[in-house]
Each structure stands twice: as structure tokens, then as C-alpha cells.
């Protein structure tokens, strides 16, 4: 692969599928959805290179299925037993597959995991089995500190090379160099900055390099999402240049194939690369998109009921763009509590959290939220990770920041409805600038016009063509040259906001999830499916005090004079 850090990766979708042999003359270069599913669900049991059918230079292992996870795979039972002994956990077949790929085959891989991905187990187990050091590149101090604390609680020696750690322990660099830690967390900036202390201190002959067993790129969707925001992400492929024989494990939320291709190219992963996928579809989750119309945060007032005790407030998470806004939203919502912001325990009931808080404070806030003492938690950026709270019934994304990626948005929305028996709602508030006008003739760029289209069932080729057009340019700066505000938003998010079709089906289709092919629209999967334009008579629909009358679809139908619920 090229060493050019500004390399624009291949454009997938229309050319995303390659066969072991060239397809017959005259055939389409794009596989049908059923063919793609067969590739994803049935990798060779022995994980051999020769038999592997490739998809975007990759072979897929669908984590939702045990297909391909045969116990005859070399070392499978042995690895499972070691994980069970050390962590007292019955590891899933795909987790054993990931661990074996790294430990036995020294193979680069990508794991696209849903909210319950249990990813930290992967590199903990690799460290224990190999008795080696794992280098984890993470994007933020909060993520590094929280994951480091989690691993230390498992009895594994770990450190996060943050300014706080270095201040408290000036000898931490020497300890890293001497191989004293099993897991080392570090930011891409610390690794790849022009004056990187890491490369000044860590020499090839050091004990650290001798023990290095695996390089982990965590939250890898940010390799694409932050490449213009944090320039160090463009250099992250240099890690493979420096450690060509060390396997790389890439961990990410679900991503579109275009973004996945960019990640694999930028990180210079060996080909074919094994791709593990696990997306947790939530049939009990209703997706709603609403326009911000009122002053400041008035649109959020409904989150706090005017009557009843604080325990009646559904467990809610709100995601905002920055720390100041998180504090402001929490303060505003406290004024809506019965008795006002000075009511007993108001600051406990509604809290804000951010990466600026100490790890122990963030952990305490999350524990209060888990127990139900805190009912509404307002989160800034990457303040919350490793969150497995099944009874969250409302997720709110407040506006669409410029750097928000589709992967992060879906990861956030997926924190609602983890308990399949509980109805839940994912509410996205958007500003008018991100809403396409009713008169599409006002749109000059034909690519943006695709953002109104629905994902039609059984029409995978049509869907792939739409997404390909939306992502035809991988660089936001290129899209921004159109002069349109629509060029400043992740194309898949723009489509999710403006599509007139099923939002759940669109999400699944964007990440090439097989469920999208056969998903029938139901009344509870989103506002677009609930409100059709067949009959008159506006229904009143509420889910955990969220009235769907605030949705863009309801308001559009109000202008057209038609409402109809689909049951």
C-alpha cells in the first residue's frame, strides 16, 4: 500500500465485492445482498487464506451467527478454557475467533461491534495468553482512563499515558520502556506527534518492543471521522510501518463500507483482512427525528414530567456537543423538576458528565445512573463508554455537531432498548439547516437529493447506489466546496434525517446488515413508519412521555393535512 498519508482510499459499494476468480464476462461487479450474506456468514472453518472469499479485500465473520466458529479451528477449545479460567466468563465463539486470529495466526483484523461489544475482554485475554504487552491507541483521555481502570480491576497491570498519569508518576515512561505493563493506553497524538516522547524513549531493543504482542486501534471509526480535526489520525498507518510483524486489531462501532475501506487502507492492514461484525438491532426501539424550533432548550422540557415523583422520570441519556452545553442542559432541566432546581437531590436526579471529570467521579455518576438514583444523564462527547445499562428507555441526540459521525450516532442511539422487553425511543433533534426543503428544485447538488430516498425492501442494488453517491467523496473538505451546508454533515446522517422511508431499515442497510433485506416496516420502528399519508385523523402516540407529534414526519403530514398510524 502507498505510504501517502493523504491517500484517498478505494471507493467501495459499486466495486466492493471481489470473487476468488474474476466474474464471468457481462456479469455485474456488485454481488446481490444474498451473495454478500453468504460470504459474511460462512468463512472457512480453518480460517485458511486460500479458501477465503473476499469482500472489500476481507473475509467476514458475522458475530450474530456461529457459522464459521467451528471448534475444530486450531486452539479454539484451549483458548476458550484459558479465558474461562482467568476471567470466569463463557466467551462467545467470535471472541475466541478474534483472540485466535491474533495469538495463533498473527493476523490483522477488524471487529465492528455493537454497544455490547465486550471489546476489552479481547485484548485482556490476548495479554494473558501471550504474556505480552498490548498497545492500545485511544482517542480521548476519558476513554483511556476508564478502560485502564476497568482492566486494573481485573488484576492486569495497565497504564494510560495521559498528562494526569505522567504528573502523578514521573517514572511511568521508564516503566513502559522496561515492559512493566501488560496493557499501555496512549493517544494517537502521543504516538505520532512531531515531538513524540514515545518514540524518543521506546527503542527497538527495549523490553517493551520485545514483549509487544498486539497493537489495538480503538474507536477506529474516528480514523475517518477525525482525520481533518486531528491530523495525527492521518499518520496512524505509520504504526504498521514501525511494527510490520505485530498484528493489528481494529475496534470500531458499526461503519458504512466506505468508511471501513478508508480505515483498512489508512491503517495499512494486511490483505485479506478478517472482519468480525456484531450489530445489535433493537426491534423495540423507535427512531424519531424532530426539528429544533423553540428557544434554547425549551424543546427538551417534556423530558421532565410536571407531576409525579422523580422516580417516574424514565431513565434518559442526552448527548450534546460540548461540556458547557452539557452543564447548561442539566441546569435547565432541573428548573423543570416539581419544586424547581433547589428541590432535594436535584443535582443527583439530573447530572452532566464529561471527560474533564476525574475517572472516579465519572464512575460514581454512572453507578448512580445504573441504580436509578440519577434519572437523566447529560453527556458531552466521549464521556461515557463501557456502558451496559439495560433499562435506558430514552436517548436524545441534541443537534448534529460537525464532527459527529454516523458510527458514533448509531452507537449512542443503541444505548436505548438493550432490554428487548422494554419499549424505548431514540430521539434526534436537528436544526433547520440540516433539513432538505420540500421543494427539491432548491438543491443544486444532485448528490444531496438522494438523501430523501427510502430504502426499499429487496432493492439492495438501489440502496447501494444511493449510499455510493452520498459517499462519493471521502473528504469533508471536498464536499464543503459545494457551498452547501449539507456538505458539512456525515452523508449517512443526512440521509437518516431526511429519508421519507423506514429509519431502522436505513440504519441496517448503511452498515450492510442482512436484516435490512427482509425487514418489514412496523408501527413502532420510527416516525416515518407510524405516520403515513393514507387516511386522515391525527393519532396521539407517546413512548415514555415522548409525543411523536414533535417529529418532522408528523409536522410534514400536518402541512399536507393527512395522518394515519400504521398498526
Amino acid at each position: 500500500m502507498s505510504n501517502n498519508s493523504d491517500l484517498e482510499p478505494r471507493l467501495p459499494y459499486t466495486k466492493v465485492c471481489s470473487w476468488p476468480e474474476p466474474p464471468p464476462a457481462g456479469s455485474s461487479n456488485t454481488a446481490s445482498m444474498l451473495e454478500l450474506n453468504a460470504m459474511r456468514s460462512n468463512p472457512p472453518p480453518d480460517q485458511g487464506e486460500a479458501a477465503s472469499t473476499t469482500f472489500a479485500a476481507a473475509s467476514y465473520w458475522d458475530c450474530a451467527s456461529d457459522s464459521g466458529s467451528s471448534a475444530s479451528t486450531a486452539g479454539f477449545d484451549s483458548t476458550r478454557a484459558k479465558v474461562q479460567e482467568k476471567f470466569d466468563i463463557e466467551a462467545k465463539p467470535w471472541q475466541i475467533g478474534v483472540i485466535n486470529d491474533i495469538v495463533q495466526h498473527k493476523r490483522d483484523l477488524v471487529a465492528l461491534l455493537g454497544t455490547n461489544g465486550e471489546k476489552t475482554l479481547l485484548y485482556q485475554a490476548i495479554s494473558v495468553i501471550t504474556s505480552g504487552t498490548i498497545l492500545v491507541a485511544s482517542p480521548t483521555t476519558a476513554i483511556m482512563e476508564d478502560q485502564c481502570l476497568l482492566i486494573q480491576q481485573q488484576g492486569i497491570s495497565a497504564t494510560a499515558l495521559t498528562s494526569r498519569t505522567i504528573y502523578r508518576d514521573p517514572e511511568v515512561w521508564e516503566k513502559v520502556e522496561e515492559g512493566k505493563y501488560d496493557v499501555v493506553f496512549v493517544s494517537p497524538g502521543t504516538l505520532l506527534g512531531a515531538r513524540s516522547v514515545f518514540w524518543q524513549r521506546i527503542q527497538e531493543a527495549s523490553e517493551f518492543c520485545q514483549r509487544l504482542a498486539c497493537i489495538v486501534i480503538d474507536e477506529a471509526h474516528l480514523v475517518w471521522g477525525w482525520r481533518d480535526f486531528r491530523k495525527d489520525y492521518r499518520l496512524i498507518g505509520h504504526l504498521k510501518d514501525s511494527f510490520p510483524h505485530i498484528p493489528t486489531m481494529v475496534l470500531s462501532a458499526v461503519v458504512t463500507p466506505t468508511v471501513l475501506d478508508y480505515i483498512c487502507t489508512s491503517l495499512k492492514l494486511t490483505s485479506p483482512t478478517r472482519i468480525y461484525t456484531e450489530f445489535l438491532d433493537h426491534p423495540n426501539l423507535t427512531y424519531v427525528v424532530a426539528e429544533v424550533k423553540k428557544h434554547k432548550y425549551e424543546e427538551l422540557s417534556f423530558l421532565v414530567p410536571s407531576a409525579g415523583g422523580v422516580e417516574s422520570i424514565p431513565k434518559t441519556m442526552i448527548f450534546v456537543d460540548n461540556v458547557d452545553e452539557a452543564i447548561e442542559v442539566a441546569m435547565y432541566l432541573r428548573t423543570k423538576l416539581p419544586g424547581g432546581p433547589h428541590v432535594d437531590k436535584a443535582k443527583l436526579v439530573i447530572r452532566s458528565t464529561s471527560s474533564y471529570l476525574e475517572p472516579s467521579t465519572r464512575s460514581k455518576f454512572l453507578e448512580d445512573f445504573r441504580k436509578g438514583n440519577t434519572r437523566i444523564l447529560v453527556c458531552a462527547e466521549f464521556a461515557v463508554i463501557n456502558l451496559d445499562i439495560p433499562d435506558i428507555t430514552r436517548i436524545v441526540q441534541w443537534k448534529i455537531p460537525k464532527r459527529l459521525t454516523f458510527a458514533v450516532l448509531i452507537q449512542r442511539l443503541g444505548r436505548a432498548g438493550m432490554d428487548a422487553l422494554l419499549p424505548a425511543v431514540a430521539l434526534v433533534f436537528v436544526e433547520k439547516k440540516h433539513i432538505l426543503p420540500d421543494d427539491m428544485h432548491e438543491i443544486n447538488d444532485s448528490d444531496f437529493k438522494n438523501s430523501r430516498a427510502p430504502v426499499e425492501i429487496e432493492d439492495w442494488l438501489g440502496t447501494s447506489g444511493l449510499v455510493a453517491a452520498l459517499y462519493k467523496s471521502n473528504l469533508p473538505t471536498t464536499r464543503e466546496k459545494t457551498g452547501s451546508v449539507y456538505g458539512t454533515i456525515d452523508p449517512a446522517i443526512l440521509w437518516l434525517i431526511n429519508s421519507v422511508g423506514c429509519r431502522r431499515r436505513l440504519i441496517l442497510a448503511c452498515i450492510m446488515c442482512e436484516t435490512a433485506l427482509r425487514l418489514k416496516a412496523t408501527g413502532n420502528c420510527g416516525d416515518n413508519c407510524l405516520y403515513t399519508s393514507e387516511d386522515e385523523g391525527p393519532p396521539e402516540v407517546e413512548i415514555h412521555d415522548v409525543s411523536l407529534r414533535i417529529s418532522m414526519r408528523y409536522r410534514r403530514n400536518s402541512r399536507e393535512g393527512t395522518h394515519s398510524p400504521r398498526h
Side-chain angles (χ1 to χ4, degrees):
M1 292 188 180
S2 169
N3 289 329
N4 183 3
S5 61
D6 291 322
L7 175 70
E8 284 202 38
R10 304 178 300 280
L11 301 180
Y13 263 115
T14 55
K15 296 183 179 180
V16 74
C17 185
S18 58
W19 287 261
E21 297 179 358
S27 66
S28 169
N29 196 35
T30 305
S32 70
M33 186 63 170
L34 290 175
E35 290 172 318
L36 299 182
N37 290 339
M39 296 177 198
R40 296 177 58 172
S41 299
N42 297 286
D46 63 354
Q47 301 185 9
E49 297 284 354
S52 175
T53 299
T54 60
F55 176 79
S59 57
Y60 273 71
W61 187 336
D62 191 339
C63 299
S65 169
D66 283 351
S67 299
S69 60
S70 170
S72 63
T73 301
F76 190 93
D77 289 336
S78 174
T79 300
R80 184 196 293 273
K82 290 177 181 177
V83 173
Q84 176 76 42
E85 178 183 359
K86 172 62 181 177
F87 302 101
D88 194 25
I89 291 175
E90 182 69 26
K92 299 175 182 177
W94 69 265
Q95 290 175 313
I96 302 302
V98 168
I99 295 167
N100 273 356
D101 264 344
I102 296 292
V103 174
Q104 297 190 18
H105 302 288
K106 311 297 182 186
R107 177 182 286 139
D108 293 347
L109 61 87
V110 178
L112 305 177
L113 308 176
T115 305
N116 284 329
E118 301 162 336
K119 60 187 179 181
T120 56
L121 173 65
L122 301 176
Y123 47 83
Q124 290 181 69
I126 292 169
S127 175
V128 170
I129 293 172
T130 63
S131 299
T133 296
I134 311 300
L135 179 65
V136 183
S138 276
T140 70
T141 296
I143 290 178
M144 288 190 287
E145 290 177 335
D146 290 351
Q147 289 183 337
C148 185
L149 181 62
L150 185 68
I151 289 177
Q152 288 172 343
Q153 291 171 350
Q154 294 290 333
I156 297 175
S157 61
T159 188
L161 294 175
T162 66
S163 57
R164 274 195 279 240
T165 302
I166 296 170
Y167 175 78
R168 293 168 180 168
D169 184 5
E171 297 180 355
V172 67
W173 282 112
E174 284 80 0
K175 295 176 182 177
V176 171
E177 187 176 5
E178 294 168 2
K180 301 291 187 183
Y181 299 105
D182 296 323
V183 181
V184 177
F185 293 91
V186 63
S187 70
T190 300
L191 272 176
L192 304 166
R195 299 180 180 179
S196 171
V197 178
F198 186 89
W199 295 113
Q200 294 174 18
R201 298 296 303 265
I202 307 301
Q203 302 300 317
E204 186 175 350
S206 69
E207 187 64 23
F208 170 85
C209 290
Q210 298 302 310
R211 291 192 63 209
L212 187 60
C214 178
I215 295 173
V216 177
I217 310 298
D218 196 14
E219 305 291 345
H221 46 276
L222 297 179
V223 172
W224 184 84
W226 283 8
R227 65 197 181 285
D228 287 331
F229 166 52
R230 292 189 175 175
K231 304 296 184 181
D232 295 327
Y233 270 91
R234 294 192 181 187
L235 306 175
I236 203 162
H238 293 333
L239 282 173
K240 179 57 74 173
D241 294 333
S242 301
F243 300 105
H245 303 300
I246 302 298
T248 300
M249 178 165 61
V250 179
L251 303 176
S252 175
V254 291
V255 294
T256 64
T258 303
V259 175
L260 174 60
D261 198 67
Y262 185 94
I263 291 170
C264 292
T265 304
S266 299
L267 296 177
K268 303 180 181 180
L269 302 184
T270 54
S271 181
T273 302
R274 179 61 58 86
I275 311 292
Y276 290 81
T277 65
E278 182 188 53
F279 178 69
L280 301 181
D281 182 24
H282 301 294
N284 57 320
L285 183 57
T286 300
Y287 296 94
V288 179
V289 177
E291 181 183 355
V292 177
K293 285 181 169 291
K294 298 179 181 179
H295 176 69
K296 204 63 172 174
Y297 306 119
E298 291 179 22
E299 214 84 48
L300 299 174
S301 297
F302 71 91
L303 294 174
V304 181
S306 57
V310 294
E311 66 278 356
S312 66
I313 301 176
K315 195 172 285 188
T316 305
M317 291 184 72
I318 305 172
F319 289 94
V320 299
D321 185 32
N322 57 65
V323 177
D324 290 342
E325 194 165 40
I327 295 172
E328 290 177 3
V329 169
M331 292 176 64
Y332 173 80
L333 291 178
R334 288 181 196 129
T335 66
K336 301 301 176 181
L337 288 170
H342 304 296
V343 69
D344 186 36
K345 297 183 179 180
K347 290 186 177 181
L348 171 63
V349 174
I350 301 176
R351 268 181 169 157
S352 64
T353 183
S354 73
S355 59
Y356 286 89
L357 299 176
E358 287 284 343
S360 57
T361 303
R362 288 197 303 272
S363 296
K364 182 181 184 306
F365 284 6
L366 280 180
E367 188 60 26
D368 284 335
F369 187 53
R370 187 187 309 277
K371 292 178 178 178
N373 300 324
T374 295
R375 306 305 301 177
I376 298 179
L377 189 64
V378 189
C379 309
E381 200 67 22
F382 286 90
V384 178
I385 61 167
N386 297 318
L387 187 68
D388 188 10
I389 302 178
D391 58 343
I392 298 174
T393 54
R394 301 189 301 191
I395 293 289
V396 177
Q397 172 63 50
W398 179 249
K399 301 182 180 178
I400 306 297
K402 183 177 179 180
R403 293 192 299 272
L404 182 65
T405 66
F406 179 75
V408 172
L409 176 61
I410 301 309
Q411 189 180 48
R412 291 176 176 179
L413 301 183
R415 299 196 185 283
M418 290 184 183
D419 184 339
L421 299 179
L422 289 178
V425 60
L427 178 58
V428 181
F429 279 101
V430 299
E431 298 170 278
K432 185 176 182 179
K433 64 181 181 181
H434 291 143
I435 302 174
L436 294 170
D438 291 334
D439 184 0
M440 296 299 288
H441 294 292
E442 297 179 21
I443 306 296
N444 296 322
D445 192 321
S446 61
D447 296 334
F448 299 127
K449 294 182 180 181
N450 293 328
S451 300
R452 289 289 293 276
V455 174
E456 299 292 351
I457 194 165
E458 306 292 346
D459 183 21
W460 178 248
L461 295 183
T463 297
S464 64
L466 288 172
V467 180
L470 292 172
Y471 276 94
K472 75 174 186 179
S473 171
N474 283 308
L475 298 176
T477 52
T478 304
R479 294 183 63 83
E480 288 166 12
K481 290 178 182 178
T482 63
S484 170
V485 69
Y486 308 126
T488 66
I489 185 175
D490 186 305
I493 295 180
L494 184 70
W495 193 16
L496 177 64
I497 291 171
N498 290 283
S499 175
V500 296
C502 176
R503 301 193 197 278
R504 177 181 166 213
R505 188 188 301 151
L506 184 151
I507 291 170
L508 295 173
C510 279
I511 61 173
M512 302 198 76
C513 181
E514 63 185 76
T515 307
L517 185 71
R518 58 181 183 269
L519 181 66
K520 303 290 186 182
T522 63
N524 70 335
C525 57
D527 50 352
N528 282 347
C529 295
L530 178 68
Y531 295 116
T532 66
S533 55
E534 299 169 357
D535 302 300
E536 296 189 8
E540 177 59 44
V541 179
E542 283 194 358
I543 303 175
H544 297 295
D545 298 326
V546 178
S547 170
L548 269 65
R549 289 190 176 189
I550 69 174
S551 70
M552 284 171 47
R553 182 57 182 258
Y554 182 91
R555 289 173 175 173
R556 180 182 293 124
N557 283 9
S558 294
R559 292 194 299 270
E560 297 171 356
T562 56
H563 298 275
S564 174
R566 177 178 296 178
H567 298 290

